[in-house]
Amino acid sequence: MTRPFILTDLDDTLFQTARKCPDGRADGLRLMSRLADGSPSGYATPRQENLLAWLRIGQLIPVTARSRDVLARVDIEQAPAICGNGGCILEANGEVDAAWHDGLVARSRGDASVTAVYAELTGALDGAAFRHWVAQEGGMAQYICIKSNLDNGEVLADVERDLAGRVPAGWRVHRNDNNLAYLPGWLNKRHAVTYMIEKLRAGQPDAPVIGIGDSNSDVGFMDLCDFAMTPTRSQLWKSLIRDNAWID
């Protein structure tokens, strides 16, 4: 049997924060990730834990918005992996794919500076109400993230609306729960997965490729796979149900 390649998002797909766990509690659940200070941050339910064990019949490949350093705090396979929304590819030996990184640097030339756009978008935000930063990989500024300190992300809908006129042409905006991200056109999970699948198929052309994700932003890379999965409580599934009256 040829093992499948399983390209999977992590947060809110294979685990989530305690707030999003059943009954909003993490008691007795498997700890999956930690914050930089070592405190717990993500948990898998027994069903997610069993799913993860089942998925390991194949080669599990994380496809995540987490940076390489933040991925290292997750109890999951570390390489190969796609980190930072496609901003970094780790090869099977754990080394950064230099050709991919160099290609990103080349494609970013001539586009709006991520740091300049960051200053434009966040300069007027209340520092007590929001936290925000520029995500980087390999010393390269890659995208912008904004989170709310006021609620679980509901207020970010207003922020997205108010900032709409300041977003450069060609940039993508993604909002899901307490995360509002602004990404330049040259940074994309889909681009990175296209590159990785080509390399995987060169060695195993008949291996099935399965894509798993929870967010609308994951559709682009899941579409490249032979099969796709999504949690039924996810943003992606809810979008499918909202847009298609399939359930009586």
Side-chain angles (χ1 to χ4, degrees), residues 19-38:
R19 173 177 65 84
K20 298 178 184 177
C21 291
D23 302 321
R25 302 178 61 183
D27 299 351
L29 301 184
R30 177 182 171 183
L31 177 63
M32 288 293 297
S33 66
R34 294 182 180 274
L35 299 175
D37 63 4

Side-chain angles (χ1 to χ4, degrees), residues 130-234:
F130 302 97
R131 58 192 186 277
H132 44 78
W133 61 92
V134 174
Q136 301 189 38
E137 278 291 353
M140 180 185 183
Q142 295 188 330
Y143 70 97
I144 298 159
C145 186
I146 302 173
K147 293 182 180 288
S148 168
N149 295 328
L150 301 174
D151 54 25
N152 293 322
E154 293 84 358
V155 72
L156 292 179
D158 297 329
V159 175
E160 179 183 358
R161 182 199 62 225
D162 293 343
L163 296 179
R166 303 182 185 182
V167 182
W171 280 53
R172 304 187 321 283
V173 183
H174 171 63
R175 177 170 53 85
N176 187 12
D177 198 57
N178 194 14
N179 180 65
L180 176 60
Y182 293 87
L183 303 93
W186 47 265
L187 183 72
N188 196 311
K189 283 183 179 180
R190 181 178 177 86
H191 297 164
V193 168
T194 298
Y195 176 86
M196 178 168 281
I197 287 179
E198 288 177 353
K199 295 183 73 172
L200 295 174
R201 290 228 187 274
Q204 300 187 58
D206 296 323
V209 179
I210 301 170
I212 309 177
D214 74 291
S215 168
N216 292 342
S217 66
D218 293 324
V219 173
F221 88 80
M222 294 166 67
D223 176 64
L224 298 169
C225 303
D226 299 306
F227 304 92
M229 295 174 58
T230 188
T232 52
R233 296 184 181 275
S234 67

Side-chain angles (χ1 to χ4, degrees), residues 24-68:
R25 302 178 61 183
D27 299 351
L29 301 184
R30 177 182 171 183
L31 177 63
M32 288 293 297
S33 66
R34 294 182 180 274
L35 299 175
D37 63 4
S39 58
S41 64
Y43 303 86
T45 66
R47 291 178 186 176
Q48 288 173 316
E49 190 171 1
N50 287 329
L51 172 65
L52 186 56
W54 177 67
L55 291 175
R56 288 194 170 107
I57 66 170
Q59 181 174 4
L60 206 64
I61 302 174
V63 181
T64 178
R66 288 173 174 257
S67 68
R68 184 183 184 186

